[in-house]
Amino acid sequence: MSIVRKKYCVYGEWRESKTDTYMPVTDSSTGEVIAEVPRCTREEVEEAVTSAQAAFPGWAQLSLSRRTQMMFKWRNVLVSHLDELTKLCSMELGKNLNEAKGDILKAIEPTEFACALPLAVQGHTALQVTSGFDCSTYRMPLGVVAGIVPFNFPAMIPWGWMVPLAIATGNTVVLKAASPTPLTSMRILELFYEEADFPKGVVNLVTCSHEEADILLTDPRVKAVTFVGTTAVGKQIYSKAAGNGKRVQAQCEAKNHALILEDADMESTVQAVINSSFGCAGLRCMALPVLCVQESCADNFVLLLKKKLQDVAVGCAYDPKTVLGPVVSAAHKQKVCQWIRKGVDEGAELVMDGRDITVPGYENGFFLGPTVFDHVKPGMSVGDREIFGPVVSIKRVKDFDEGLAVMNANPFANGSSIFTQNGYYARQFELLTDGGMVGINVGIPVPTAYYPFSGNKDSFLGDQHVLGIDGYRFYTRAKTVTTHWYDEDSRKKRLDSWEGTVERV
């Protein structure tokens, strides 16, 4: 397969970078390099900001109805290219075809939500707040906004979490695409201009390192930053961008826990756990990498989990029979293997080991089989830190109270789930869990785009989450207008009254 050298996009044009450094993009199933993307220069990142700044006035002044019509058209373009984008996402990332299709659909869903723009951005108005005076609050676009994107959802995160609500509300965008998986996002941007006919410069795209991306945190023309990635980097970005007067929403790491009680339906629970924990090869922040299982049912649960995992088909991402595809890169596979080694060294019981799996015909792919640790104790980092791979840790707990305490002791609180048939415990869990997104007999408690992706604790930095009404508010500012009208007679009476008062003084 020939290696394609990609470009960056400003002013609606794809341009050759002047960089000397290009970064490889691989087919995760074969290990082959299929493209190279530029480490854009600082000047090229600044050029992207300038492009967005130039496009902002004209785009922001379009009517709500016109921008809404364009979002409807954009939604239809994405739908018409669903199969093409699915295959591309599957190839560069390693998700199986169903998961890759879900990635694209999760970009389409927020685009549909953005079509509700005229309703969602309505302000508030009150007549006669005081005698003769009225007040109105409007939601106004910010200007240029930036998105710093991770590798694991190349369609959903830039083109679902960031672009739709940002542009629908009148902003323009600079995307820093993830260099390991930029191809899906680049193809979507091609369609954005070629088939949806958006004005040039509304969305711009660069690939670069954190050094060049630092411009997006300091340039005064950038008014807001959306980041998705590790907590350590998220804290740095939040601190620097906020220190430069920008709004920030930083979606960070996760170590979601599930509490499995003895009265849970074990067949459906195990299947939900497999779908959640091993779907997308564990490369998602809403997986369930830790299972707090009640001791009375733990042995049976582990046996059933192991039995079902042995039937999971590991293979080429774009083979329709594949359930568990590869991880994104050789480096990431090595990182996950190091975590597995660490779990063994810490004394956890390795029930299933996926390190030595080989897929015939794809020997150079980045494959890992399902991996399960049992008897993971407090203090073992394998059960407390984000591994980001197809690895599950089982923590055995006595009862609901101990399980909840173990879960809430973790510094991350993106999501959490409980599996039970007991309504009282389900409700108590809903009230008391620290998780920002909660599942009741649901393995992946991701809300639809109409609700915020509402992680807590070290899983999120900011005050307005992505999506939902939070998303609309993050990309807009309030403008409050006070008005007073009066006729000529009233004006004369007021003037006479004022002049009389002056004379008396």
Side-chain angles (χ1 to χ4, degrees):
M1 183 179 293
S2 61
I3 300 175
V4 178
R5 180 160 281 189
K6 305 297 287 186
K7 303 176 182 181
Y8 70 102
C9 185
V10 294
Y11 301 104
E13 303 171 355
W14 292 92
R15 299 183 177 181
E16 294 278 1
S17 174
K18 296 178 180 178
T19 187
D20 295 326
T21 305
Y22 279 79
M23 300 170 284
V25 181
T26 56
D27 179 328
S28 298
S29 296
T30 66
E32 295 177 299
V33 176
I34 55 176
E36 293 178 334
V37 295
R39 176 177 169 175
C40 290
T41 65
R42 292 181 64 87
E43 291 75 18
E44 289 162 352
V45 177
E46 289 174 350
E47 185 184 14
V49 176
T50 301
S51 169
Q53 179 74 7
F56 172 68
W59 177 246
Q61 290 170 22
L62 284 183
S63 67
L64 295 183
S65 59
R66 178 62 182 138
R67 291 205 301 268
T68 301
Q69 289 165 5
M70 296 192 74
M71 296 309 296
F72 271 112
K73 181 177 181 180
W74 175 228
R75 178 264 181 198
N76 292 337
V77 170
L78 288 173
V79 170
S80 68
H81 288 270
L82 179 58
D83 291 341
E84 172 198 354
L85 296 171
T86 293
K87 178 66 180 296
L88 188 56
C89 177
S90 178
M91 180 180 293
E92 68 173 338
L93 179 54
K95 293 181 178 181
N96 70 36
L97 290 172
N98 284 334
E99 293 162 350
K101 184 177 182 179
D103 196 331
I104 311 304
L105 291 174
K106 279 294 185 179
I108 294 172
E109 183 183 281
T111 304
E112 293 170 343
F113 179 46
C115 294
L117 172 71
L119 178 64
V121 297
Q122 288 180 10
H124 302 281
T125 301
L127 293 170
Q128 285 289 88
V129 289
T130 61
S131 182
F133 290 81
D134 309 325
C135 276
S136 300
T137 298
Y138 303 98
R139 304 302 305 183
M140 308 295 294
L142 302 176
V144 177
V145 300
I148 300 176
V149 179
F151 69 81
N152 62 319
F153 278 88
M156 181 190 78
I157 291 177
W159 293 96
W161 287 11
M162 299 177 183
V163 171
L165 298 190
I167 65 172
T169 50
N171 303 284
T172 53
V173 179
V174 176
L175 286 177
K176 178 202 170 294
S179 55
T181 57
L183 304 183
T184 304
S185 192
M186 288 177 166
R187 177 58 181 148
I188 291 175
L189 185 54
E190 289 174 356
L191 297 171
F192 184 82
Y193 287 121
E194 292 172 3
E195 296 192 20
D197 298 319
F198 278 87
K200 307 303 184 185
V202 170
V203 178
N204 307 270
L205 186 148
V206 295
T207 49
C208 59
S209 76
H210 66 90
E211 295 178 17
E212 295 81 24
D214 189 68
I215 293 168
L216 303 176
L217 312 181
T218 58
D219 192 313
R221 295 173 295 176
V222 177
K223 304 304 180 184
V225 177
T226 299
F227 165 80
V228 181
T230 66
T231 298
V233 175
K235 287 181 177 180
Q236 294 173 5
I237 285 176
Y238 189 91
S239 176
K240 191 161 194 174
N244 281 279
K246 307 182 193 311
R247 293 186 178 187
V248 187
Q249 50 183 193
Q251 305 287 153
C252 299
E253 290 174 60
K255 192 69 172 180
N256 303 328
H257 285 49
L259 178 54
I260 299 169
L261 299 183
E262 61 187 1
D263 69 335
D265 180 88
M266 286 301 157
E267 285 284 340
S268 61
T269 297
V270 168
Q271 193 57 57
V273 164
I274 291 173
N275 293 343
S276 176
S277 303
F278 300 99
C280 302
L283 302 179
R284 60 184 176 200
C285 62
M286 286 305 290
L288 285 178
V290 182
L291 311 174
C292 294
V293 186
Q294 194 167 4
E295 290 176 351
S296 56
C297 66
D299 287 343
N300 289 336
F301 175 84
V302 173
L303 286 173
L304 185 57
L305 177 63
K306 184 176 180 180
K307 177 182 177 182
K308 286 185 175 292
L309 285 175
Q310 289 170 343
D311 295 330
V312 169
V314 181
C316 171
Y318 36 91
D319 181 339
K321 294 179 290 187
T322 292
V323 175
L324 177 57
V327 297
V328 67
S329 66
H332 195 79
K333 176 180 177 179
Q334 183 180 23
K335 177 184 175 182
V336 176
C337 288
Q338 289 170 347
W339 270 112
I340 297 171
R341 178 73 259 172
K342 187 172 184 62
V344 173
D345 293 343
E346 289 177 334
E349 179 184 337
L350 189 57
V351 175
M352 292 188 71
D353 186 352
R355 288 175 290 182
D356 297 326
I357 194 166
T358 300
V359 177
Y362 298 90
E363 288 79 8
N364 295 322
F366 313 129
F367 296 97
L368 284 166
T371 299
V372 179
F373 284 108
D374 195 4
H375 298 285
V376 176
K377 305 297 183 183
M380 292 183 179
S381 59
V382 71
D384 293 334
R385 298 278 304 281
E386 185 177 63
I387 296 175
F388 224 52
V391 182
V392 161
S393 296
I394 295 173
K395 300 178 179 179
R396 299 190 177 211
V397 297
K398 293 179 181 179
D399 53 24
F400 173 86
D401 291 332
E402 183 181 1
L404 183 67
V406 167
M407 300 170 81
N408 285 348
N410 193 268
F412 304 110
N414 210 41
S416 59
S417 292
I418 186 173
F419 293 89
T420 181
Q421 298 301 308
N422 186 303
Y424 171 78
Y425 283 134
R427 187 173 185 276
Q428 285 296 99
F429 185 83
E430 185 178 353
L431 289 169
L432 300 175
T433 180
D434 287 346
M437 290 167 280
V438 181
I440 310 297
N441 297 314
V442 173
I444 312 172
V446 177
T448 67
Y450 320 124
Y451 294 88
F453 193 91
S454 49
N456 286 336
K457 293 166 69 171
D458 276 357
S459 293
F460 175 73
L461 302 168
D463 61 353
Q464 299 284 349
H465 294 83
V466 299
L467 300 179
I469 296 302
D470 274 23
Y472 274 111
R473 290 192 172 275
F474 178 78
Y475 288 120
T476 58
R477 60 183 174 84
K479 175 180 282 188
T480 301
V481 179
T482 302
T483 57
H484 175 62
W485 299 99
Y486 42 83
D487 59 23
E488 186 65 15
D489 288 341
S490 297
R491 188 188 70 80
K492 289 180 178 179
K493 289 179 181 179
R494 286 176 180 272
L495 182 61
D496 291 343
S497 175
W498 179 79
E499 289 175 345
T501 300
V502 171
E503 289 173 1
R504 287 195 296 273
V505 173

